[in-house]
Amino acid sequence: MQTEAKPYLKSIHIEKPKGKEGKVFPFNIPAIQSIDYLDFHPDVTFFVGENGSGKSTILEAIAESFDLSAVGGAKNIKFSSRYDKSPLHQHIKCQKNYIRPQDKYFFRAESMHQMGNLLEKTWREPGSWLSKSDVFSRFKGESLHEMSHGESFLELFTTGFRGNGLYFLDEPEAALSATRLLSALVRIHDLVESQSQFVIATHSAILLAYPRSRIYLFNEDGHRQVNFEETEHFQITRDFLNNYPRRIQQLLRPTPLLDWLEESNTEDKKNED
Ligand SMILES: Nc1ncnc2c1ncn2[C@@H]1O[C@H](COP(=O)(O)OP(=O)(O)OP(=O)(O)O)[C@@H](O)[C@H]1O
Ligand SMILES: [Mg+2]
């Protein structure tokens, strides 16, 4: 009988501290306050929600539990940005498969430039015994500074992720052109087919359409599982593209959002009648 490797990450449990500590960051974020246990899809789990709803905070705490740096990268890459250690790390327990992923990576769009600098420094350091192709092995041996932002993202997804892996992606859509975003979606599927699992924080309606997935929405009420078509990403994107001349006209008026909301409320009412 074949043993199932996936999911490498089965669930998380967040233990909230009592007293003062339980009321300040990160426990003042409604999603973090509301999560007791959260189950993960064996293929792809998405975190969605407004800016500031806690997606990155949870993602980096989970990545740390897999011995990845909270600021991104592979196991052996450490550099500091907003903090060295996730503030949630000590309070999060991950239920893991006893079969470990053979590859793992925490991709953060926001720290790719910093990572490029760090790898460049490692390679050029006097006395470094690492060759350029060793240092940039996840980027086909090329320096990140010799590629455009979007090219380096796709290079990492296509040649840098090796399969049988656990991948944490924070806004992978940033910097990708529309065509490359579709290529990234195809690559995610290839990796899922080769025994990989993903946890992805995203604002992209296109990525969220991936069917072998579960979507968790974080908002001011806490968190809940939603279907793709229930997400704002789907609804607003579809509405905008279907009605863009009118929506643009409404948005560029002095009270744009009010006009838009009034119209969609009237439409909702009509549908109810
Ligand atoms: N070190 C910190 N100290 C205090 N508050 C913080 C700290 N880091 C983040 N926050 C706050 O925690 C909240 C959640 O931040 P987080 O980065 O997880 O949001 P997000 O859902 O990833 O948002 P986005 O979609 O913009 O990336 C934000 O309101 C942010 O200001
Ligand atoms: Mg974020």
Side-chain angles (χ1 to χ4, degrees), residues 52 55-57 82 108 110 170-171 201 203:
K55 304 179 297 294
S56 298
T57 305
R82 69 175 176 182
R108 301 199 78 161
E110 62 190 54
D170 198 353
E171 300 192 19
H203 295 292

Side-chain angles (χ1 to χ4, degrees), residues 11 19 36 136 144 146-147 175 198 201 204 213 237 240 263:
S11 65
D36 196 9
F136 296 102
L144 270 70
E146 291 160 16
M147 291 179 232
F198 286 84
S204 164
S213 71
T237 310
F240 187 84
E263 180 171 312

